Amino acid sequence: MTDQTKANRRDQVLIAFHRDCTCPTVDQIIEWTTRYPEFAEDIREHAAILRDWAAEPCDEDEPADDLLLQRGRSFALNAIYEAQNAPAEDSEESFKTFDQLMEAQDLSTQKLSRSLGIAREVLADLFRGRMKSPVGKRLLDALMKEFRVGYEQFQEAFRYALANPSIGHAKANRQPTISQRSYEEVVRGSNMSEERKLFWLSDD
Amino acid sequence: METNRRRGPEPGDTDAWLRLLQEKSLKELFIADVVAAVQKIGPNGNRRLVEGLMSHISDCIMHRLRKRIGRHFRNEGNDMIQNTHCQLIASVLKPRSADGVALRKSFWARVDSRAADAIRAETKALKREIYSEDEPQSAEPDSSSGSNPLEDEVHAESVLMTVTDVRKRLAFRLHMDDVPYQSKKTDSIAKALGVSAKTIEKWIGEVKQQLSDILGDQS
């Protein structure tokens, strides 16, 4: 996991913690630190701050003074101007990898597998560069819709995955290898029912 | 926080959003819907609308940060608030950035988690600066003690906030929840904080002493 991916993952976990535990109890703290041990320190310190906030007497937001509000609105105008003049590489179209496309839509391989009704291993092979081109039309259309991207952006992520494949599992008698299979081979080799395989292999 | 709010129109319905802006009704809506609208309309959309929506979002972020980041920090927390606000407001118009997505889906949780991060960073910076000092330099607690229980509780709370280590404050709060220092059968403070029971006992002893030193003189 890259540093940026880990930082994004940490943020997602903490957002969920803030949403679900506005006044964390001891069992909630243990539950979350057990579930996400790599972020245990962050969770504990956020829990402490959430408990501080919960102890405050007033539930309503405190009004910020006019000076702060004026500065904030000035920052907002700056943000509009910068967004209008953002160079191409900073624009929305710069995302390259499947991981980034999923993160942008708050998706995961597991969530996609459930919502699309397709074996997770098929998606994993695609995202990890173990599926050769071309991707089946039905899956291509479905993923472009889930990721809210066009054909070119999807292909860009696909090309990146193919150029940076994840190696397969190591075997006892040989080094781990990168094996790439066709879309049909991946689908037929999955644990889906025959009916689902036929569905994903057809174009209509 | 948003129990009396209602859903906004479709994000792309510029006319409806303009009407709401003119009627000054944005505060009646879920803020996440306002974010979704300005992200859909984009920075090059109707200028009055985009500026109006962004100003509203900016104000909401500011009010929330003012509440979350107390005045007991340096410069009354204003620097922390402005830095955090700046980071968040810039990401509103980056709908595929991590913050942009989070503000659209979980606005208040995102603002709060960023506020907490700012508090953590400031607390660590303060600790580094007072490393060689004998006494912590967090703001002095309110020295007045009231004659009624509510005022006493508020005063005790303000004294507790002078404990700079957030883990010690959490340990103390859990202790006040009657959670045991350690237990084989139930959840414990030691397990929650990932330290030994001996450390917990030491921390709570320190906090009690600090509270006693300040409050005890006034009882």
Side-chain angles (χ1 to χ4, degrees), chain B residues 63-213:
Chain B
H63 288 312
R64 184 67 158 206
L65 291 176
R66 176 70 282 172
K67 176 176 172 60
R68 293 309 195 201
I69 295 174
R71 295 182 188 274
H72 56 282
F73 292 104
R74 292 180 290 191
N75 192 26
E76 295 198 335
N78 287 332
D79 296 334
M80 294 161 66
I81 290 172
Q82 286 177 52
N83 290 338
T84 308
H85 170 279
C86 193
Q87 182 187 9
L88 287 166
I89 199 67
S91 63
V92 170
L93 290 172
K94 296 175 186 174
R96 289 188 183 171
S97 67
D99 270 351
V101 172
L103 288 170
R104 185 171 68 242
K105 290 176 180 282
S106 306
F107 183 89
W108 298 115
R110 175 42 120 199
V111 175
D112 283 352
S113 71
R114 285 289 185 230
D117 278 339
I119 290 170
R120 291 174 72 198
E122 178 71 4
T123 303
K124 285 182 177 132
L126 195 63
K127 274 186 190 170
R128 283 195 294 273
E129 284 184 17
I130 66 172
Y131 183 78
S132 61
E133 297 287 340
D134 292 330
E135 296 293 332
Q137 291 185 2
S138 52
E140 289 296 318
D142 179 6
S143 59
S144 62
S145 67
S147 58
N148 68 62
L150 180 60
E151 287 184 13
D152 286 345
E153 190 180 326
V154 170
H155 181 44
E157 183 61 32
S158 73
V159 173
L160 181 59
M161 290 305 294
T162 66
V163 175
T164 52
D165 190 330
V166 295
R167 297 172 306 162
K168 292 182 185 176
R169 291 205 301 269
L170 179 58
F172 184 78
R173 292 192 194 282
L174 293 177
H175 171 64
M176 297 305 287
D177 288 349
D178 290 328
V179 178
Y181 290 4
Q182 188 172 25
S183 172
K184 288 181 183 175
K185 293 181 185 175
T186 65
D187 293 333
S188 67
I189 304 175
K191 190 173 178 186
L193 288 171
V195 296
S196 68
K198 196 171 174 185
T199 300
I200 296 298
E201 188 178 356
K202 177 171 174 279
W203 284 355
I204 290 174
E206 286 173 6
V207 174
K208 282 184 175 175
Q209 184 62 54
Q210 193 166 334
L211 288 173
S212 173
D213 286 348

Side-chain angles (χ1 to χ4, degrees), chain A residues 1-2 97-99 102 109 121 123-132 157-170 175-181:
Chain A
M1 195 186 282
T2 64
T97 70
F98 282 126
D99 281 345
M102 279 194 284
T109 308
E121 61 204 276
L123 295 176
D125 277 353
L126 169 64
F127 298 153
R128 299 290 159 244
R130 299 192 289 264
M131 184 190 289
K132 294 180 193 172
F158 184 40
R159 283 194 289 269
Y160 181 86
L162 285 173
N164 299 276
S166 297
I167 59 177
H169 292 295
Q175 293 295 320
T177 57
I178 299 168
S179 65
Q180 291 177 324
R181 296 180 291 163

Side-chain angles (χ1 to χ4, degrees), chain A residues 44-45 52 58 73 148, chain B residues 59 67 96 120 169 192:
Chain A
R44 288 177 182 126
E45 293 194 7
D52 289 342
C58 178
R73 290 171 194 158
R148 299 189 195 184
Chain B
D59 287 357
K67 176 176 172 60
R96 289 188 183 171
R120 291 174 72 198
R169 291 205 301 269

